[in-house]
Amino acid sequence: MIEANEANTPRKEPGRVAAMFDRVAPGYDRTNTVMVAGQDKRWRKATREALSLQPGERCLDLGAGTGISTAELAKSGADVIGVDFSLEMLKNHKDRQVPLVNADALRLPFADDAFNAVTGSFFIRNVVDLDACLTEIRRVLAPGGRMVLCEVSKPVWKPYRKAHGVFVKHVLPKVAARVASDPEAYQYLADTTMAWPDQAELADRIVKAGFRKVAWRNLAGGAVAMHRGFK
């Protein structure tokens, strides 16, 4: 079980988080689809479109899990590599025919300026050091390259924000208890969702990491947001 600190923020010990994702790997994609009512496919498509990948470009997909997002990105014709620190997630790739690498997003095994684009969906809130991860992403991006992150965020309409908070804190763990192989893992994901910064705060962190032209687009009323920045 992932513990919380005094501020009720989950402690993201890399080994324990990786072990948690290893445990849920076999049913991870199915559980996610159930818990977001099938919207995950639409979000993956929106991320691919936001990247505007072209054939021949190189793209890095962080937190790729089973490679489902990597396969979506590869539809663009770009050369896409998926990275995840959970080996069991990668082993459950379902023969998606995309290259997948077991590595830590804080210490990527790639040269400086190696990619035209870097992306990640619902992964960056699990890293132990957000700012260090942004710096590492910028390192592997080529000059002029773009980053698009799709992640949980804060609903912009106050009544929806309150209802969403109730859903994440109380309903989501109960749904996970019925459909997930490791309900405690989804309690952790609920906790990290509530503790994650809002759109403006994340954008500010991205700017401080050295990205330019930083902007975001809300999805699902702001419960999810895509942030983009350029090197």
Side-chain angles (χ1 to χ4, degrees):
M1 183 175 179
I2 307 296
E3 299 174 354
N5 61 19
E6 293 83 357
N8 202 32
T9 300
R11 290 205 319 231
K12 302 171 186 177
E13 298 174 13
R16 298 177 73 181
V17 175
M20 178 194 74
F21 280 103
D22 283 346
R23 294 194 302 271
V24 301
Y28 185 75
D29 292 333
R30 178 183 63 85
T31 301
N32 278 353
T33 297
V34 170
M35 293 174 67
V36 300
Q39 294 185 85
D40 53 326
K41 183 176 181 180
R42 184 172 63 182
W43 296 336
R44 286 192 294 272
K45 181 180 178 182
T47 301
R48 172 172 58 81
E49 292 174 344
L51 283 163
S52 300
L53 295 171
Q54 301 300 314
E57 288 191 313
R58 299 192 72 211
C59 177
L60 184 63
D61 181 27
L62 298 175
T66 66
I68 190 169
S69 57
T70 314
E72 175 66 33
L73 295 169
K75 292 178 181 179
S76 65
D79 297 324
V80 188
I81 299 174
V83 167
D84 202 282
F85 72 164
S86 166
L87 188 57
E88 289 302 315
M89 287 290 247
L90 298 176
K91 287 180 179 178
N92 281 270
H93 58 73
K94 309 293 192 300
D95 295 321
R96 291 196 170 98
Q97 304 300 311
V98 289
L100 300 172
V101 176
N102 183 218
D104 188 340
L106 298 181
R107 291 177 292 276
L108 293 169
F110 305 107
D112 296 356
D113 307 333
F115 295 93
N116 304 103
V118 177
T119 188
S121 295
F122 306 104
F123 100 94
I124 200 166
R125 77 183 190 277
N126 297 308
V127 301
V128 68
D129 189 331
L130 168 61
D131 300 317
C133 186
L134 292 171
T135 297
E136 184 69 348
I137 290 172
R138 190 175 183 278
R139 179 186 70 79
V140 300
L141 266 178
R146 64 273 195 201
M147 174 187 71
V148 172
L149 299 174
C150 185
E151 187 53 270
V152 299
S153 199
K154 306 298 183 187
V156 293
W157 188 45
K158 287 185 179 180
Y160 175 40
R161 186 183 309 161
K162 183 176 180 179
H164 180 259
V166 171
F167 172 79
V168 170
K169 287 193 291 186
H170 302 293
V171 178
L172 187 149
K174 291 180 180 179
V175 174
R178 290 180 174 271
V179 302
S181 58
D182 187 344
E184 285 186 355
Y186 286 88
Q187 181 62 59
Y188 159 81
L189 293 175
D191 292 342
T192 58
T193 296
M194 298 305 297
W196 188 245
D198 65 17
Q199 292 89 326
E201 183 180 346
L202 179 57
D204 184 59
R205 301 279 282 274
I206 294 170
V207 170
K208 288 179 178 177
F211 289 86
R212 60 186 181 84
K213 296 182 180 179
V214 175
W216 71 82
R217 172 189 169 194
N218 288 319
L219 304 172
V224 172
M226 287 193 303
H227 281 70
R228 183 171 63 186
F230 293 83
K231 180 173 177 176

